[in-house]
Amino acid sequence: MSRPTTKDLAKVAGVSLATVDRVLNERPGVRQTTVERVNEAIKAIDFVRDISAANLARSKEYKLVFLLPDHDDEFIDLILEAIAEANRSLTHERTIVTIIRAPANDPRRLVEEIDKLSATEVDGVAVMTPETPQVRDAISRMDARGIAVVALVSNQPNAESAYFVGINNEAAGRTVGQLMARFTGEKHGSVLVLTETMQSRDSQERRLGFDVIMAKYAQRLKVCPSMETYGDSVRTAQIVRSALQSRPSIVGIYLMNHDIYEAMQAIEALSPLQNVVIIGHELTAHTCARLIDGTLDAVISQDVGHLVRSSIRVLKAKITSIGTVASQERIRIEITLRENMPEERQTVGR
Amino acid sequence: MSRPTTKDLAKVAGVSLATVDRVLNERPGVRQTTVERVNEAIKAIDFVRDISAANLARSKEYKLVFLLPDHDDEFIDLILEAIAEANRSLTHERTIVTIIRAPANDPRRLVEEIDKLSATEVDGVAVMTPETPQVRDAISRMDARGIAVVALVSNQPNAESAYFVGINNEAAGRTVGQLMARFTGEKHGSVLVLTETMQSRDSQERRLGFDVIMAKYAQRLKVCPSMETYGDSVRTAQIVRSALQSRPSIVGIYLMNHDIYEAMQAIEALSPLQNVVIIGHELTAHTCARLIDGTLDAVISQDVGHLVRSSIRVLKAKITSIGTVASQERIRIEITLRENMPEERQTVGR
DNA sequence: CTTTAAATGATGTACGTACCTCATGTCAAG
DNA sequence: CTTGACATGAGGTACGTACATCATTTAAAG
């Protein structure tokens, strides 16, 4: 037979529809013993509320917010695009996603934005921002206000209320290490590591994983200390130049951030890049182009569309206290070479 | 304002609700000019039918079928598991997935099973079977009967009605080629290619892609002709033994099928495998274990859960003639090393 | 102009749930 | 026994769509 309805539930529990409704929606005025009777009946007939009918009746809309850094780079652009796409297909599911931008490096303003969000206007929030104590506390306050929270891309390991949607950065670093070890063959020499800043937990974790594998499988290679670019193209050029000059035998470069435009420019301007293995992060128009032209050997990435859709699913699941399919929400650490690049990216120029 | 409803549509089109209903559900008795007027209004106010409300009203259930080969291997097991998981989470969405098994290599019985499916009992079918003319025709007949069809894992390029859910096998072969070329460093020697059969289009495509890249980037390596195992362990052992003996300098092995148990056994029994790069397909318990113990160097795979969920989404989209989000349905060619193996697989023993 | 068929409108019920109001029941304290 | 608080039942309306029936209008044919 078909799915049991509230009517069936009422019959089995031996109560009226009104009481079933009171129990299901946790309305007051039901004796504890009756509540239990209904709950037993729910288990007995395996009753599950029909969410679409419920949403229809409530004419409820899920109001979700993505809180993103306010600087613009290709990765953020990808996320914005993915959100726009999700929004298009989610109109059919009573879900509205809006975007709030806030300075990632100004905790005060960030916290201000978070505290502004009221449970009456917002049901769930996906937060993409570096971990700081202030942010952690602001997240806890949101949770207390009854707003669902997920941490996007950057984990918030100390905010238990925030489910993490993203990859394990230490494993990502290990993966890069393994690729670097194997792609460099038997060669000896040194490996550069460039990052925007080592302040961020993500960078630290990636570096950690990278070092573990390099130590294990590529002792022939000397891994240099991380060089920080601070996103400054002049500084980047300078750093790269002096590194390439002082170390003649560079065989590999790990670009730990997705915004690698300046670094690549500086590198290319300076040396013939034959036989230097370069590995970067995230599948942007720029990295794709570099994969195709062969400058970049591999890219480690996470599916941005998946990140966004998964965040939305998890938020909605939290809001309705429904379970999620764990395997569907797992974000994979993707390795992309020129050969397995998604076809729609292969034509995208820079 | 909120989503437009059929009422709004009726008002804008200047017709009654009944007529709107007739147009939306393609019922007879509406003049062509009126149909067009309503369709214009649909565009004008961007009306989209509320699918959950529609399903509720129809008390419709989507009845989907997965038609799978009737032999058992680890890959099929993964698919079965993914279907079971999908089924659990889809009860909430009025979708029931059932499974039919049929001998993949007996086109007659296969076609018989397909022809048995009636549009009254089934709304959509995902077919996983090698391409043959008989099957292609049977798929066309299903389409004519009004049953939605997708081709799963194995493409049916000559059956236009079947949307393909799976990876580009030629690109997968290229990817293996690139990894083989890079993982073997500067070494010279030969590369073995083992497959169950070269009859299947999938194997042919993979081989093609593999050869292209090997010719381009690894001319130092000699790629041997594909050796067919026919899934027979005795034969496999024999083939592998003679190959390893007659060719002293084997530096790489490409196991083109997911069922690599026999081949791995045979290989291991015969030679010290130091420095031989072995690359296989699909993330099964067995391949994961081999990745962990280091026998296998890389695995090319497709996310089975994604395959199944995507098939279901595409089928439902076809049934309701709603669009899909292209980027969500793209199945990636995944490269898995020990380092980026999904965490839940790392503890799975054999 | 009438006849007739086709096109359209008006209206009601249903799907499964939410939410509201009002009536009736029960039980313990006074 | 009465009072009152609380528990429960009965019934209705709504959400957006599907589908059926019957009444009415419109257009084409005679």
Side-chain angles (χ1 to χ4, degrees), chain A residues 72-116:
Chain A
D72 272 314
D73 61 39
E74 285 191 289
F75 187 62
I76 303 275
D77 288 346
L78 287 177
I79 292 186
L80 291 174
E81 203 180 302
I83 293 174
E85 193 168 40
N87 238 340
R88 258 171 272 143
S89 64
L90 284 175
T91 345
H92 313 306
E93 301 178 34
R94 301 165 185 285
T95 306
I96 300 173
V97 181
T98 55
I99 295 164
I100 296 180
R101 309 291 294 265
N105 298 318
D106 183 347
R108 209 166 40 82
R109 289 251 341 254
L110 198 53
V111 166
E112 211 174 279
E113 288 293 341
I114 296 180
D115 284 341
K116 247 196 261 172

Side-chain angles (χ1 to χ4, degrees), chain B residues 111-154:
Chain B
V111 166
E112 210 174 280
E113 288 293 343
I114 296 180
D115 284 341
K116 249 196 260 173
L117 299 170
S118 123
T120 56
E121 292 157 14
V122 175
D123 300 305
V125 180
V127 180
M128 174 178 170
T129 179
E131 189 200 17
T132 63
Q134 298 97 315
V135 169
R136 186 230 306 141
D137 293 344
I139 288 177
S140 300
R141 284 195 294 277
M142 262 206 292
D143 186 56
R145 260 175 288 157
I147 299 180
V149 186
V150 304
L152 184 62
V153 179
S154 283

Side-chain angles (χ1 to χ4, degrees), chain A residues 7-211:
Chain A
K7 263 184 198 160
D8 304 320
L9 184 54
K11 203 173 293 172
V12 172
V15 298
S16 72
L17 263 178
T19 302
V20 163
D21 177 67
R22 292 184 183 109
V23 174
L24 283 180
N25 296 292
E26 293 175 344
R27 275 186 255 279
V30 186
R31 227 178 314 160
Q32 190 53 36
T33 56
T34 314
V35 172
E36 276 153 24
R37 193 141 46 95
V38 173
N39 283 329
E40 274 162 32
I42 288 178
K43 274 183 207 151
I45 64 172
D46 195 29
F47 171 84
V48 185
R49 193 193 312 226
D50 183 325
I51 307 168
S52 27
N55 287 342
L56 181 60
R58 292 201 170 91
S59 38
K60 151 131 197 142
E61 301 221 302
Y62 296 92
K63 280 160 286 182
L64 308 183
V65 170
F66 276 70
L67 187 57
L68 305 177
D70 66 351
H71 60 263
D72 272 314
D73 61 39
E74 285 191 289
F75 187 62
I76 303 275
D77 288 346
L78 287 177
I79 292 186
L80 291 174
E81 203 180 302
I83 293 174
E85 193 168 40
N87 238 340
R88 258 171 272 143
S89 64
L90 284 175
T91 345
H92 313 306
E93 301 178 34
R94 301 165 185 285
T95 306
I96 300 173
V97 181
T98 55
I99 295 164
I100 296 180
R101 309 291 294 265
N105 298 318
D106 183 347
R108 209 166 40 82
R109 289 251 341 254
L110 198 53
V111 166
E112 211 174 279
E113 288 293 341
I114 296 180
D115 284 341
K116 247 196 261 172
L117 299 170
S118 123
T120 57
E121 291 159 13
V122 175
D123 301 305
V125 180
V127 180
M128 174 179 170
T129 179
E131 189 199 17
T132 63
Q134 297 97 316
V135 168
R136 186 231 305 142
D137 293 344
I139 288 178
S140 299
R141 284 195 294 277
M142 259 205 293
D143 186 55
R145 260 175 287 156
I147 298 180
V149 186
V150 302
L152 185 61
V153 179
S154 283
N155 198 356
Q156 304 281 344
N158 293 313
E160 322 83 20
S161 47
Y163 177 99
F164 174 49
V165 178
I167 58 173
N168 175 338
N169 278 305
E170 206 243 321
R174 285 202 303 270
T175 307
V176 175
Q178 181 68 260
L179 286 174
M180 186 63 80
R182 308 205 68 150
F183 280 12
T184 49
E186 304 289 323
K187 278 186 287 199
H188 290 249
S190 40
V191 174
L192 295 188
V193 178
L194 264 86
T195 178
E196 197 188 314
T197 168
M198 279 307 279
Q199 298 289 348
S200 88
R201 178 184 204 100
D202 299 351
S203 292
Q204 289 162 15
E205 289 175 351
R206 286 178 183 177
R207 172 81 211 210
L208 189 70
F210 184 69
D211 286 348

